[in-house]
Amino acid sequence: MKIKYFSVVFVLFLFIKTYAQSHEDPILFSVDGEPVYVSEFLRVYNKNLDLVQDESQKDLDEYLSLYINYKLKLKEAKALGLDKKESYSRELNTYRNQLAKSYISDSRVTEALVKEAYDRISHDVKANHILVRVDENASPQDTLAAYHEIHKLRERALNEGFEVVRKQVHDGKTIFGEELGYFTGFKMVYKFENAAFNTPVGAISMPFRTRFGYHILKVFDKRKSRGERTVAHIMIGFNSKDTLHGSPETRIHEIYKKINQGSDFEVLAKQFSEDKSSASKGGLLKPFSGGQLSAPEFEEVAFSLEHIGDVSQPFKTKFGWHIVKLYEKTPVAPFEVMKPELEVKVKRDDRSRLIDEALYAKLRQRYKVGSEPPALDYFASLLNENYFTRSWRLPEDFQGNKPLITIGDRTLTYNDFGSYLLDSQRGFNNRAPFKDVVLKHYNAFLNRNLVTYREDNLEQENKDFALIMGEYRDGLLLFDLMESTIWNAGNDSTELQQFYETHKSNYHVPERIDAIVASSSQQKTLKKVAKLLEQGMALDKIKNLVNSNTNIEVIFTTGIMDAGHQALPEAYTFKMGLSKIYRHNSGFVLVQTKEILPASIKSFEEAKGAVISDYQDFKEENWVKALRRKYEVSVDQKVLDQVKQTVKNN
């Protein structure tokens, strides 16, 4: 689905359809005769007032203009028949099915599971396990054999020691004995998580089954979660382009020595860290918790720092070499803060089965469906051994038209359940008494139809659901229109080229220099460097003269730089040769400019991304003007004045 584009659409135009308008609700404006009422406009305006970033959109006249444009686009989309496209209907149905799930679950069960999940993520458990693999649909014989095997292994573990047995039996094929380390909630399947958190420290769990097979586990430790850490770092990547300093490891150790000599961590991060996303902020990173980063080594170092302000020694990850400084230690957030995130996780997790069971019970009560299964003896009498070989058929005298059960205003017949039995035999692998087979399938059949009926009638039974579907329905339609009319503008290379030629002066490369920048905390040291540079001494020799293995006085940065480069002071103006010594980031810098590269116009290929964006804006502006000519827009000024007064008073 094209969800990533909807943030733009919804931020500006999250609107709510008005399904019924009273005679007291005046028309604010109309598009080609279709009215838009004051209640709808005010609802949209107030709903989005805090979402819009552009202050002009908070001005009511400006917002009205945007909303009229939005209605014009919807009018055009329907005129083009985009709402009749098969792809549009398919995507709308997909979204509806996804949205419906959040409106039909049992909130009380969800709440209990969310609270349990919060308690779990507030703690870490350390455990190892032994697994006897067996497929979910294995035969009764294979399942029983795996069950007996895990019980034997538990007896051995109790007598011989869990770790001894775990290491002996691991074969990596049918039996696995694995070290798991510390983990928290949502890191394992739910049944495994339950066993781990419910088993006391030092104890071995009873055997339990997951979709992987039968397990036993031993819990070695439980501790409170380590929470979040906020750190800053200096990073030198493995592919560093500055070669004067040697290897990345050498460079990071030079910087570490400067920190130990008293240089400011944040200043060094701004000047030398190659993580561009954090360098300008003194290396500061967003807070993170255990397991969140893709570099475990980074996490371990960050969590090992004890006191605010502690700085780590240089260490390596897959991204490069780092030095980390601790800024803040934050415990697990309060329940109310984490609740929305946990609700999403619970509904995606194995826990959802408990939510489903509660839902089925609630729907049976809502639609007054009795707990006693009807006519199941009749269906059991129809089954024979062919059912287990997937060759069973309904008999010719099958009473298919008889009513079986009623859900709301929908009646399900014998024929409906009979067809379900026919289809279900393909997925039934284990032999069982016919009554058990029919009962299992009847419950699944009933549950499916209860949910289907609820989903089919959600618009009538839940106003919020109906309103959100209205938002998405028009939002999706607008997306398709914008994609075909505006966003695909980049595919027309001729028009893009013409636009570039007309607006070429907007796309240029700024003036730059090819330079050497020497940075030091001591002004007198840079005076010495200046003299050596004037004498034409090679940089590697200068570096050896001013620095030593134990003391780094100067760090050099070389390459092509523009005026905004982090190593250059703001007061520096481009000039050939050696500059004066400037104060910069609580230290001093000296610049030697070897070449000034003049500003230039970017080629079409270099500017293509910006050209496409500008061209799309240009094309949309003209397209909206054309729509205003095509469709008559009429605004009731008197009503608009009343709306403005209402907004002002509120």
Side-chain angles (χ1 to χ4, degrees):
M1 294 178 68
K2 305 160 186 173
I3 299 300
K4 62 182 179 181
Y5 295 107
F6 272 90
S7 60
V8 177
V9 176
F10 283 172
V11 164
L12 294 178
F13 301 109
L14 278 174
F15 67 93
I16 301 176
K17 287 283 191 181
T18 302
Y19 284 85
Q21 302 290 344
S22 72
H23 66 278
E24 297 176 349
D25 190 4
I27 297 172
L28 178 59
F29 69 91
S30 61
V31 176
D32 208 36
E34 291 188 12
V36 175
Y37 294 86
V38 167
S39 60
E40 176 184 343
F41 178 76
L42 282 178
R43 188 179 297 113
V44 175
Y45 177 78
N46 290 325
K47 183 177 181 180
N48 293 285
L49 193 60
D50 294 330
L51 296 177
V52 295
Q53 301 297 318
D54 188 342
E55 286 297 320
S56 67
Q57 294 171 18
K58 295 184 179 181
D59 178 85
L60 198 139
D61 286 319
E62 290 291 334
Y63 196 87
L64 175 61
S65 179
L66 287 171
Y67 200 58
I68 289 173
N69 291 346
Y70 180 70
K71 290 292 187 178
L72 284 166
K73 292 172 185 177
L74 286 177
K75 185 75 174 177
E76 179 70 359
K78 292 175 181 177
L80 294 173
L82 298 182
D83 56 334
K84 303 296 191 296
K85 288 172 55 181
E86 182 180 345
S87 59
Y88 171 79
S89 299
R90 184 170 57 250
E91 192 158 342
L92 186 63
N93 287 334
T94 299
Y95 176 78
R96 187 189 187 282
N97 292 336
Q98 293 173 345
L99 180 65
K101 292 177 182 178
S102 63
Y103 278 84
I104 60 176
S105 60
D106 191 302
S107 59
R108 292 170 300 175
V109 176
T110 303
E111 180 77 16
L113 288 170
V114 168
K115 289 180 178 178
E116 178 191 70
Y118 179 76
D119 181 67
R120 299 274 172 88
I121 66 166
S122 300
H123 295 82
D124 300 325
V125 59
K126 184 179 182 181
N128 294 346
H129 83 126
I130 298 172
L131 162 69
V132 178
R133 288 194 64 90
V134 62
D135 190 78
E136 282 187 286
N137 297 317
S139 67
Q141 294 85 352
D142 290 342
T143 301
L144 187 61
Y147 178 77
H148 286 320
E149 181 66 25
I150 199 68
H151 273 275
K152 290 179 182 177
L153 291 172
R154 185 174 188 274
E155 286 300 316
R156 284 188 57 190
L158 290 171
N159 295 323
E160 303 172 32
F162 188 90
E163 286 300 283
V164 172
V165 176
R166 180 183 69 79
K167 293 174 182 178
Q168 287 180 353
V169 301
H170 176 82
D171 62 16
K173 296 178 182 178
T174 57
I175 300 180
F176 295 79
E178 298 172 309
E179 293 182 275
L180 302 175
Y182 283 98
F183 57 90
T184 188
F186 296 105
K187 298 301 182 182
M188 304 292 180
V189 296
Y190 186 52
K191 288 183 178 179
F192 195 100
E193 177 191 305
N194 272 339
F197 277 93
N198 292 331
T199 300
V201 173
I204 299 173
S205 73
M206 291 299 295
F208 61 95
R209 188 174 184 179
T210 71
R211 61 176 180 266
F212 305 107
Y214 284 102
H215 308 253
I216 55 173
L217 59 79
K218 181 173 181 179
V219 174
F220 294 91
D221 187 28
K222 292 180 182 179
R223 69 184 185 193
K224 286 190 174 182
S225 169
R226 297 189 293 182
E228 286 187 339
R229 291 292 183 271
T230 302
V231 303
H233 79 136
I234 298 171
M235 185 190 85
I236 303 298
F238 292 128
N239 298 318
S240 178
K241 295 180 179 179
D242 194 328
T243 59
L244 283 174
H245 56 263
S247 69
E249 183 177 4
T250 301
R251 177 75 155 182
I252 201 72
H253 278 90
E254 289 178 349
I255 295 171
Y256 184 63
K257 289 174 183 176
K258 292 288 289 181
I259 295 171
N260 287 336
Q261 292 166 20
S263 294
D264 188 89
F265 185 97
E266 291 74 17
V267 170
L268 292 172
K270 289 178 180 179
Q271 288 183 298
F272 303 115
S273 178
E274 294 181 3
D275 177 6
K276 301 302 181 185
S277 64
S278 66
S280 63
K281 296 174 286 189
L284 191 65
L285 300 173
K286 291 181 179 179
F288 58 87
S289 56
Q292 186 174 342
L293 300 184
S294 59
E297 307 92 343
F298 194 101
E299 278 189 12
E300 287 306 312
V301 172
F303 280 103
S304 70
L305 298 175
E306 291 288 335
H307 305 102
I308 304 303
D310 282 356
V311 176
S312 75
Q313 294 183 3
F315 64 95
K316 184 170 68 172
T317 72
K318 63 183 177 181
F319 300 106
W321 284 86
H322 311 257
I323 304 170
V324 171
K325 179 178 179 180
L326 180 62
Y327 273 77
E328 189 174 356
K329 300 166 70 173
T330 307
V332 175
F335 174 73
E336 290 303 324
V337 174
M338 296 203 67
K339 184 178 178 182
E341 176 186 348
L342 291 175
E343 284 181 349
V344 173
K345 287 185 175 182
V346 161
K347 291 175 182 177
R348 291 176 178 172
D349 190 65
D350 290 348
R351 295 163 171 81
S352 61
R353 294 184 181 181
L354 300 178
I355 300 174
D356 290 342
E357 291 300 326
L359 167 65
Y360 303 145
K362 182 179 72 173
L363 293 181
R364 288 184 187 217
Q365 183 177 10
R366 182 185 188 95
Y367 299 121
K368 297 179 174 56
V369 176
S371 58
E372 187 67 28
L376 296 193
D377 288 342
Y378 170 71
F379 282 96
S381 70
L382 301 181
L383 296 188
N384 54 47
E385 287 299 312
N386 291 337
Y387 194 85
F388 303 117
T389 60
R390 304 176 182 84
S391 58
W392 176 76
R393 296 290 180 270
L394 288 166
E396 293 183 2
D397 60 349
F398 177 59
Q399 304 171 21
N401 293 326
K402 290 185 64 175
L404 178 69
I405 196 163
T406 299
I407 301 174
D409 58 4
R410 182 179 300 171
T411 298
L412 300 173
T413 66
Y414 279 33
N415 213 21
D416 294 321
F417 184 49
S419 297
Y420 185 85
L421 281 175
L422 276 172
D423 293 338
S424 299
Q425 66 181 320
R426 290 175 296 182
F428 202 91
N429 298 317
N430 300 327
R431 292 179 180 272
F434 294 143
K435 285 187 177 181
D436 293 346
V437 172
V438 171
L439 179 60
K440 178 180 178 180
H441 284 319
Y442 171 77
N443 286 328
F445 168 79
L446 176 59
N447 292 340
R448 175 190 290 185
N449 280 281
L450 284 166
V451 173
T452 299
Y453 185 84
R454 172 65 168 157
E455 289 178 347
D456 290 346
N457 290 273
L458 265 176
E459 276 89 349
Q460 291 73 40
E461 297 182 9
N462 191 298
K463 183 179 179 181
D464 287 342
F465 177 82
L467 294 174
I468 291 175
M469 278 305 301
E471 294 175 3
Y472 193 87
R473 185 178 293 110
D474 286 346
L476 180 61
L477 193 59
L478 179 62
F479 171 80
D480 284 346
L481 176 69
M482 295 295 290
E483 184 179 49
S484 60
T485 307
I486 303 299
W487 294 336
N488 287 335
N491 296 332
D492 192 329
S493 57
T494 302
E495 289 187 15
L496 281 178
Q497 186 73 49
Q498 291 173 349
F499 184 81
Y500 165 76
E501 294 297 336
T502 306
H503 302 81
K504 187 181 294 186
S505 60
N506 294 338
Y507 311 106
H508 63 276
V509 179
E511 187 179 41
R512 295 166 296 161
I513 56 172
D514 183 0
I516 299 169
V517 180
S519 304
S520 177
S521 59
Q522 301 295 324
Q523 188 175 17
K524 63 179 182 180
T525 304
L526 288 186
K527 289 181 179 180
K528 179 179 178 181
V529 171
K531 290 180 180 179
L532 296 175
L533 287 172
E534 286 178 338
Q535 294 170 12
M537 182 177 289
L539 280 178
D540 56 347
K541 292 184 178 181
I542 297 175
K543 185 177 180 180
N544 290 333
L545 282 173
V546 297
N547 296 331
S548 67
N549 290 334
T550 58
N551 191 39
I552 304 298
E553 292 288 345
V554 183
I555 292 180
F556 294 93
T557 303
T558 65
I560 307 298
M561 311 173 194
D562 60 26
H565 193 282
Q566 65 191 105
L568 296 175
E570 291 184 9
Y572 174 69
T573 56
F574 290 176
K575 185 178 180 181
M576 290 292 295
L578 206 59
S579 75
K580 68 177 185 179
I581 296 174
Y582 291 87
R583 282 191 171 274
H584 183 49
N585 286 333
S586 302
F588 300 92
V589 296
L590 173 71
V591 182
Q592 184 184 50
T593 299
K594 297 183 289 183
E595 183 182 1
I596 298 177
L597 306 174
S600 60
I601 299 296
K602 289 183 180 180
S603 68
F604 174 73
E605 287 302 324
E606 291 173 327
K608 190 171 182 179
V611 173
I612 290 174
S613 178
D614 292 345
Y615 179 61
Q616 288 177 347
D617 291 342
F618 169 80
K619 189 171 182 179
E620 182 176 1
E621 182 180 349
N622 286 286
W623 174 56
V624 170
K625 290 178 181 178
L627 291 180
R628 285 183 176 258
R629 292 191 296 269
K630 180 177 180 179
Y631 301 110
E632 181 182 358
V633 176
S634 176
V635 178
D636 190 321
Q637 188 60 47
K638 183 178 179 180
V639 173
L640 178 58
D641 291 340
Q642 293 173 346
V643 169
K644 289 180 179 179
Q645 190 62 42
T646 300
V647 171
K648 182 179 179 181
N649 292 338
N650 291 336

